[in-house]
Amino acid sequence: MDIQALEAQYTSGVYAKRDLTIVAGKGAILYDDRGREYIDCVGGQGVGNLGHAHPAIVKAISSQAERLITCPEIFYNDQRAALQARLCELTKMSRVYLCNSGTEAVEAALKFARATTGRKNIVAAMRAFHGRTMGALSATYNKKYRDPFEPLVPGFSHIPYNNPEKLAEAVTGETAAVILEVVQGEGGVYPATPEFLEAAQKICRERGALLIIDEVQTGFGRTGRLFAYQRYGLEPDLICVGKSIAGGLPMGAALISERVRPLSIGWHGSTFGGNPLASAASLAALKVIEEEKLPERAEQLGAAFREQLTSIPSPLIREVRGLGLMIGIELKQKVAPYIQAMTEQGILVLNAGMNVIRLLPPLVIQPEQLDRVAQALETVLTHPQAETVENN
Ligand SMILES: *Cc1c(COP(=O)(O)O)cnc(C)c1O
């Protein structure tokens, strides 16, 4: 059976596919159907902070699957209760709404912000990515994602990222919330300045708007802290998480502070939300992140790795940016051919837009594996590549 032909025939068509069939993984390594191995710096697009087939996650999922997979939130459940308590303990938030993806976490936060402030407007940033359902998409900036689906939800505006003055102009007595990523991921791996984040919190507090921090990509150790906002002493009113929250299983959550007024029964809900299987996986993931000190690992490995990348003598590189092991290499030209060349070197990398190579390796990656990635990048970026098909 030709897997690629079969999938190409029946897949929805909304994804740009690479010419690779991935069938297994272990740690930071992925295997294709011919047994060829790759160092994985795609990291499931941010889902794979713990690496592939982590034994603690495999065990948590298999033993919970034998006990109870599904249980709606109309009943209490041991795994869900423990997870909600743990997430609040780790973030100093007071309540948790559990769902199944990042965009749902954002959707929930936007609804909670509108409902509890009684205001309509949401201020987001240019280059922001918050997801693709209608509410989250309205906060997302990229025209390519938005334009075919207009009209989107009214009341959204976008200000330049890292510009406190423009933010101050945009937030009024009609603003329900400001939503920001701490490092813009899809938009090109742009870290926020501390001044911008501090100003955002201050402006929100002064004007009675809520501050929603989207940690879907930056969360769970990726940037060298459990959550990136913790680096800046922020106290967000709502935090959106997803991606690596459950060791690879689909899950998302909106973490809710005391400053959000109590929510009413029926305002929101999800059939799969807070299911015991994902909750057990998430509890196990949080334990691994703590025991294996993954945030510290991301901080240390990331700093050394970014230094290696910065010293690559290639005139193609405009800038190396990032935080922890969330890294962007901006080129002066399109990255698609270089991503293809990296695959030929046995390394899978992502893009972020047309000109940025994005690296999201599992935080369990070995230093020697990162050395190989840096060497391959040097090889590829010091030799011009022919144009290939667009990657995104
Ligand atoms: C990926 C992402 C989302 C959307 O998450 P999905 O699980 O794909 O719906 C939202 N916000 C940010 C910052 C993301 O990186």
Side-chain angles (χ1 to χ4, degrees):
M1 181 187 58
D2 182 339
I3 300 164
Q4 292 191 13
L6 186 67
E7 190 169 330
Q9 181 176 350
Y10 292 106
T11 190
S12 63
V14 299
Y15 299 102
K17 298 275 197 190
R18 299 191 191 180
D19 182 20
L20 269 182
T21 302
I22 300 296
V23 294
K26 183 77 199 157
I29 300 293
L30 283 172
Y31 300 90
D32 72 9
D33 57 341
R34 295 172 303 166
R36 202 177 154 196
E37 57 174 82
Y38 301 85
I39 298 180
D40 178 19
C41 291
V42 168
Q45 296 177 321
V47 170
N49 290 8
L50 278 67
H52 301 283
H54 193 292
I57 302 301
V58 173
K59 184 157 171 278
I61 292 174
S62 53
S63 61
Q64 185 61 37
E66 287 181 354
R67 238 178 117 215
L68 186 66
I69 292 175
T70 196
C71 172
E73 283 221 29
I74 57 171
F75 302 113
Y76 294 97
N77 173 261
D78 56 338
Q79 300 299 317
R80 185 197 303 130
L83 176 63
Q84 289 174 335
R86 186 70 183 131
L87 286 171
C88 287
E89 190 182 14
L90 290 167
T91 56
K92 314 272 186 295
M93 302 296 272
S94 47
R95 292 181 181 275
V96 182
Y97 170 77
L98 291 169
C99 50
N100 317 290
S101 64
T103 199
E104 281 176 75
V106 170
E107 209 69 35
L110 295 173
K111 282 181 73 177
F112 299 161
R114 274 191 170 180
T116 74
T117 60
R119 301 175 179 184
K120 289 192 184 62
N121 295 345
I122 308 283
V123 177
M126 291 173 180
R127 289 192 312 241
F129 184 86
H130 297 292
R132 301 173 198 258
T133 53
M134 291 306 244
L137 183 60
S138 305
T140 291
Y141 183 68
N142 192 333
K143 276 183 172 318
K144 193 175 81 180
Y145 301 143
R146 298 168 58 95
D147 279 359
F149 311 105
E150 297 276 356
L152 299 178
V153 179
F156 285 71
S157 61
H158 293 84
I159 52 106
Y161 196 62
N162 282 339
N163 188 326
E165 293 79 26
K166 292 283 184 202
L167 184 67
E169 284 169 29
V171 179
T172 70
E174 298 293 300
T175 305
V178 172
I179 181 166
L180 296 171
E181 295 158 272
V182 180
V183 181
Q184 291 187 313
E186 301 289 322
V189 192
Y190 289 94
T193 60
E195 301 76 45
F196 179 61
L197 294 171
E198 283 156 21
Q201 175 159 306
K202 188 160 170 279
I203 293 162
C204 284
R205 290 285 152 79
E206 281 170 6
R207 307 194 185 163
L210 299 176
L211 178 62
I212 305 173
I213 293 292
D214 181 345
E215 290 265 4
V216 173
Q217 193 161 146
T218 46
F220 301 98
R222 170 61 54 195
T223 68
R225 295 286 188 282
L226 185 59
F227 296 104
Y229 79 88
Q230 292 168 334
R231 202 179 267 275
Y232 305 98
L234 290 181
E235 292 180 351
D237 300 307
L238 287 150
I239 303 170
C240 302
V241 293
K243 295 206 163 106
S244 267
I245 183 174
L249 279 196
M251 185 177 234
L255 313 182
I256 305 162
S257 77
E258 302 252 273
R259 289 174 298 279
V260 177
R261 277 209 290 283
L263 307 180
S264 296
I265 289 171
W267 270 3
H268 205 39
S270 162
T271 302
F272 287 126
N275 70 81
L277 188 68
S279 297
S282 182
L283 275 171
L286 289 170
K287 199 153 166 247
V288 169
I289 290 168
E290 187 185 9
E291 285 175 359
E292 298 186 13
K293 298 191 166 44
L294 294 186
E296 291 86 339
R297 237 186 119 81
E299 178 86 357
Q300 284 158 16
L301 292 178
F305 184 52
R306 276 181 280 125
E307 214 173 286
Q308 274 179 299
L309 298 181
T310 308
S311 68
I312 292 176
S314 166
L316 292 172
I317 299 179
R318 191 185 303 272
E319 190 180 29
V320 175
R321 299 188 285 266
L323 210 54
L325 278 172
M326 180 170 181
I327 294 161
I329 306 166
E330 183 172 333
L331 302 189
K332 294 174 188 160
Q333 57 196 73
K334 290 182 180 167
V335 296
Y338 298 92
I339 289 177
Q340 178 57 35
M342 286 298 284
T343 306
E344 283 154 24
Q345 300 276 323
I347 294 162
L348 305 179
V349 301
L350 270 173
N351 68 308
M354 299 287 238
N355 298 315
V356 178
I357 296 174
R358 181 170 37 141
L359 306 172
L360 298 174
L363 310 183
V364 297
I365 196 167
Q366 299 300 317
E368 309 77 59
Q369 292 172 320
L370 282 176
D371 288 343
R372 275 188 50 205
V373 175
Q375 279 158 18
L377 280 165
E378 171 148 0
T379 304
V380 162
L381 292 175
T382 48
H383 296 86
Q385 303 295 322
E387 283 287 317
T388 55
V389 274
E390 279 308 317
N391 198 270
N392 198 23

